[in-house]
Amino acid sequence: MQRFADLVLRRAARDTRGAVLVEFALCLPVLLILYSGGCCVSDMLAASRKVTIATRSLVDLTSRSLSPSIVYNDPSSINGRSYLSASAVVLSPYKLDKAEQEVSLVRVCDATHAFVVWTQAQTQNADGSTVTPVDSSVTAGTLPTNEAQSASSVIAVPANMISPSMVPVSPDGTNVCGNLAPGTSTKTQVGTAGGWLYMGKVRYDFTPSVGFVPITTTRMTHTLFMTPRLF
């Protein structure tokens, strides 16, 4: 009996016909994770690119269509819904209800800051047929009303977007960004002088389509400034 058992064991030790199948079974989970992870990362890069293109579309459309002087003189009458909705369509086939679009008009007050004149933001349902206003990430001032403005309406702007000719000069030499009170003959009030810029921003919450991939929901945000085509 012992001899028979030894014979069976020696034969099993020499038999390698199932080794490949066992090795494949061991490697399969790792291969699936690598494949799914690669697909997820590729999808994430594509979504990020879509967000960038949507932002550019938004600010480009707005800068070509809305005159800064008209927006400044009556900001409450301006509706940028059509431009915001058009930029949302660019995100397709990604879920539109996971995205927010925002556009703002700002007026330069020094070499790295600007005053928010007007802003509007929205989101929408999955197919874009229903629009819902949301809070902007910036706070618009109350100009042209003749009253003191809030410092929260002054935002940072990339220095490479502002040329020296866009920066307003106050008669008393003060930084216009800090002149929040109504202007006088010696002070230029913030938001009443300086060059114009449109700011577009798109936010998108990306969630991997494969649940077991170790990548959580990621908020993608892209901001772009552009000079207006109209004055």
Side-chain angles (χ1 to χ4, degrees):
M1 186 69 180
Q2 182 63 41
R3 183 178 178 183
F4 176 75
D6 291 342
L7 180 62
V8 171
L9 289 174
R10 284 196 297 270
R11 183 176 297 174
R14 292 194 301 269
D15 191 352
T16 60
R17 287 176 296 176
V20 174
L21 183 60
V22 173
E23 292 170 357
F24 178 75
L26 292 173
C27 294
L28 182 60
V30 177
L31 295 174
L32 286 175
I33 291 175
L34 289 175
Y35 177 77
S36 301
C39 291
C40 181
V41 171
S42 177
D43 192 27
M44 180 181 266
L45 292 174
S48 177
R49 179 60 179 163
K50 281 278 190 178
V51 169
T52 300
I53 297 173
T55 307
R56 180 173 180 82
S57 299
L58 171 59
V59 72
D60 188 35
L61 283 171
T62 308
S63 65
R64 291 176 183 272
S65 307
L66 288 181
S67 167
S69 58
I70 293 176
V71 178
Y72 174 81
N73 288 320
D74 194 5
S76 62
S77 69
I78 302 302
N79 192 339
R81 175 176 171 175
S82 58
Y83 313 117
L84 295 165
S85 297
S87 69
V89 174
V90 178
L91 289 170
S92 181
Y94 293 97
K95 297 178 180 179
L96 302 188
D97 57 338
K98 301 299 182 183
E100 295 178 357
Q101 302 81 36
E102 176 184 321
V103 64
S104 308
L105 175 65
V106 301
R107 196 163 199 181
V108 174
C109 54
D110 69 18
T112 56
H113 294 85
F115 176 84
V116 181
V117 174
W118 165 82
T119 186
Q120 186 175 339
Q122 71 176 43
T123 186
Q124 52 280 310
N125 61 347
D127 63 4
S129 59
T130 302
V131 170
T132 304
V134 297
D135 293 333
S136 293
S137 62
V138 295
T139 303
T142 57
L143 291 172
T145 305
N146 188 31
E147 61 187 19
Q149 301 300 311
S150 172
S152 62
S153 296
V154 178
I155 64 170
V157 176
N160 60 359
M161 288 299 306
I162 300 176
S163 62
S165 62
M166 298 172 71
V167 180
V169 178
S170 187
D172 64 354
T174 57
N175 186 315
V176 173
C177 291
N179 296 340
L180 302 175
T184 64
S185 59
T186 59
K187 273 191 191 302
T188 300
Q189 184 185 17
V190 64
T192 60
W196 303 99
L197 290 171
Y198 276 107
M199 179 181 73
K201 182 178 292 186
V202 173
R203 298 176 287 272
Y204 180 73
D205 293 328
F206 174 83
T207 302
S209 56
V210 182
F212 63 84
V213 175
I215 300 177
T216 59
T217 298
T218 303
R219 167 153 284 198
M220 301 175 176
T221 303
H222 189 75
T223 304
L224 184 66
F225 291 86
M226 191 174 292
T227 55
R229 272 62 161 187
L230 303 175
F231 293 94

